[in-house]
Amino acid sequence: MSEENAMTVPSATFQLQAVGTDRNISEARSKALGKDQTETELEEASQQFESLLLNMMIREMRATVPESGLFQESMAEEIFTSMLDEKYADVMAEQGGIGLSRMIVDQLGTIDGVSGETTTDRNASIKLK
């Protein structure tokens, strides 16, 4: 199997995931800025983004491991490894990951209609008191 074909399937899958996640974050941000946005939608979009980033990190880390000449790598193994890495990233993001999801939710938190402060501003002021 040529090296060009081996990189096409995971790259295309990754690009589709990136487009979907980018769209979810854009929708969540626009909704957070004034439209009816629920906290869970924002959390889901930020968790998907963190999962995508973790998937990229895992894939790049795996690329640094030298391949063994003992077994020839097949297309099925490449697909399985790609899917396994994606699942690892999903589970890591669900369990808190590197904290990026929480930071995104805090940054894009909904605005309180009465006081004009964000939910993170309220949380920070509560912690300071």
Side-chain angles (χ1 to χ4, degrees):
M1 172 181 345
S2 72
E3 178 124 350
E4 183 178 307
N5 289 342
M7 296 301 288
T8 305
V9 173
S11 296
T13 304
F14 176 74
Q15 288 174 352
L16 289 174
Q17 291 172 344
V19 168
T21 301
D22 185 41
R23 186 173 350 151
N24 288 343
I25 289 178
S26 296
E27 289 173 5
R29 184 163 192 223
S30 67
K31 289 180 181 180
L33 294 175
K35 298 177 183 158
D36 57 343
Q37 163 63 29
T38 63
E39 188 79 16
T40 56
E41 288 176 335
L42 182 58
E43 287 174 356
E44 287 174 8
S46 63
Q47 187 176 356
Q48 286 177 358
F49 179 74
E50 183 173 14
S51 175
L52 182 67
L53 178 69
L54 288 169
N55 188 15
M56 288 173 52
M57 290 172 59
I58 292 168
R59 187 179 61 216
E60 292 303 317
M61 286 190 296
R62 190 178 296 279
T64 64
V65 177
E67 292 183 17
S68 169
L70 187 59
F71 297 107
Q72 188 175 22
E73 191 170 314
S74 67
M75 182 65 149
E77 183 180 357
E78 290 176 22
I79 292 171
F80 173 78
T81 303
S82 174
M83 292 171 63
L84 181 64
D85 291 347
E86 184 179 335
K87 189 62 176 175
Y88 283 156
D90 289 344
V91 170
M92 288 170 65
E94 286 173 7
Q95 296 179 354
I98 57 176
L100 182 63
S101 176
R102 186 78 259 156
M103 291 171 53
I104 292 172
V105 169
D106 289 346
Q107 185 69 34
L108 299 177
T110 58
I111 297 177
D112 188 330
V114 177
S115 66
E117 64 183 357
T118 65
T119 55
T120 54
D121 293 339
R122 280 198 316 260
N123 292 340
S125 65
I126 291 170
K127 289 178 186 175
L128 293 175
K129 291 181 182 178

